[in-house]
Amino acid sequence: MKYLAIVGTNSDVSTNRMLLQFMQKHFSSEAEIELYEIKDLPAFMEPEDSEVPEKVEELSEKILNADGVIIATPEYDHAIPAVLKSALEWISYTSQALTDKPVLIVGASHGTLGSSRAQAHLRQILDSPELAARIMPSSEFLLGKSQAAFDNAGDLIYPDKLAELDEIFREFVLFTDITMKLLAEKVQKKSAKKFTWQE
C-alpha cells in the first residue's frame, strides 16, 4: 500500500509529526508512507481568476496517487487547527481528491485525551458531500501525554499504545484493500449499465 500521511499542523515542533514519522519507519515493511507538510499551503480563499495555487495542485496530485490517506491532527480549542481546515477547504473547492479515498485519523496531544474532540470534528468535515472520504469506522488512535511518548530515536515507548497502533494500522491496510475492491466493482457495474435507449 502507498499512503500519504498529512501532518495536520503548521507548528515546527509537533508530536503529531513525530507520530507519523514513527509510523513511516515502523510500518515500512507493510506500506510506503510519505509525509506531507501543509504549513506551506496558502490560506484558503476563493481565487478570483480560478487559478489553483501550485501547492494545492501538488497536494491534490499526491492524494489522488495514494491508495489511502493518514491524517494526524492536534486539538486546538476542541477542534482541528485552522491550517488543516484550510487545506481541506482547498481540496473540497478544487479537485475533490478525497472523494472515496480511504482515510485513517490519528492524533496526539500533551494532555490525556489525545485529540479526541478534534478527531470527531475531522470526521464530520471529511464526511461532508464535497469531501466524501471513506473514513475507517470504529477506529480512534489517541496518543495522550505525547511529550513523553517518544525516546531519543523517535520510537513510541508506550507498549499499550504501540500494540493499539499495530492493530489499527493492520485494520486500515485491510480496509483500504476492501474499499479499493468495492470501488472497482462499483465502476464496472456503472460502466456496464444500459440506458433506456440501448435496450
Side-chain angles (χ1 to χ4, degrees), residues 63 66-68 96-103 126 129-135 175-176 179-180 183 186-187:
I63 292 172
D67 295 316
Q96 298 186 340
L98 279 165
T99 299
D100 286 331
K101 189 68 65 175
V103 174
L126 291 170
E130 293 78 15
L131 289 170
R134 301 268 176 159
I135 312 152
F175 176 73
T176 305
T179 302
M180 288 165 72
L183 291 173
K186 182 180 167 185
V187 169

Side-chain angles (χ1 to χ4, degrees), residues 69-117:
V69 174
I70 303 166
I71 303 176
T73 181
E75 183 172 312
Y76 296 167
D77 301 322
H78 294 184
I80 64 172
V83 66
L84 179 54
K85 181 67 166 63
S86 176
L88 294 172
E89 283 167 354
W90 273 119
I91 297 301
S92 168
Y93 181 82
T94 58
S95 65
Q96 298 186 340
L98 279 165
T99 299
D100 286 331
K101 189 68 65 175
V103 174
L104 172 65
I105 301 170
V106 298
S109 73
H110 297 172
T112 55
L113 295 178
S115 79
S116 60
R117 294 184 181 94

Side-chain angles (χ1 to χ4, degrees), residues 29-184:
S29 62
E30 298 169 58
E32 180 187 334
I33 301 175
E34 178 188 355
L35 263 64
Y36 188 84
E37 299 281 354
I38 57 172
K39 58 184 179 180
D40 296 326
L41 290 176
F44 175 76
M45 59 176 291
E46 190 174 330
E48 292 177 14
D49 53 6
S50 297
E51 279 277 324
V52 181
E54 190 179 328
K55 275 288 184 185
V56 175
E57 286 188 338
E58 178 189 77
L59 175 57
S60 292
E61 197 65 29
K62 285 183 180 291
I63 292 172
L64 288 168
N65 289 333
D67 295 316
V69 174
I70 303 166
I71 303 176
T73 181
E75 183 172 312
Y76 296 167
D77 301 322
H78 294 184
I80 64 172
V83 66
L84 179 54
K85 181 67 166 63
S86 176
L88 294 172
E89 283 167 354
W90 273 119
I91 297 301
S92 168
Y93 181 82
T94 58
S95 65
Q96 298 186 340
L98 279 165
T99 299
D100 286 331
K101 189 68 65 175
V103 174
L104 172 65
I105 301 170
V106 298
S109 73
H110 297 172
T112 55
L113 295 178
S115 79
S116 60
R117 294 184 181 94
Q119 289 196 32
H121 183 218
L122 182 52
R123 280 180 178 273
Q124 279 187 309
I125 295 166
L126 291 170
D127 200 37
S128 65
E130 293 78 15
L131 289 170
R134 301 268 176 159
I135 312 152
M136 190 168 87
S138 305
S139 68
E140 209 175 35
F141 183 75
L142 309 169
L143 182 62
K145 299 181 180 178
S146 59
Q147 282 178 307
F150 301 95
D151 62 18
N152 291 335
D155 293 326
L156 184 60
I157 60 172
Y158 298 157
D160 57 332
K161 283 296 172 184
L162 180 55
E164 189 183 326
L165 184 61
D166 283 342
E167 184 179 353
I168 283 176
F169 189 78
R170 280 195 300 269
E171 287 176 1
F172 185 54
V173 171
L174 182 60
F175 176 73
T176 305
D177 186 49
I178 291 169
T179 302
M180 288 165 72
K181 285 173 181 171
L182 283 172
L183 291 173

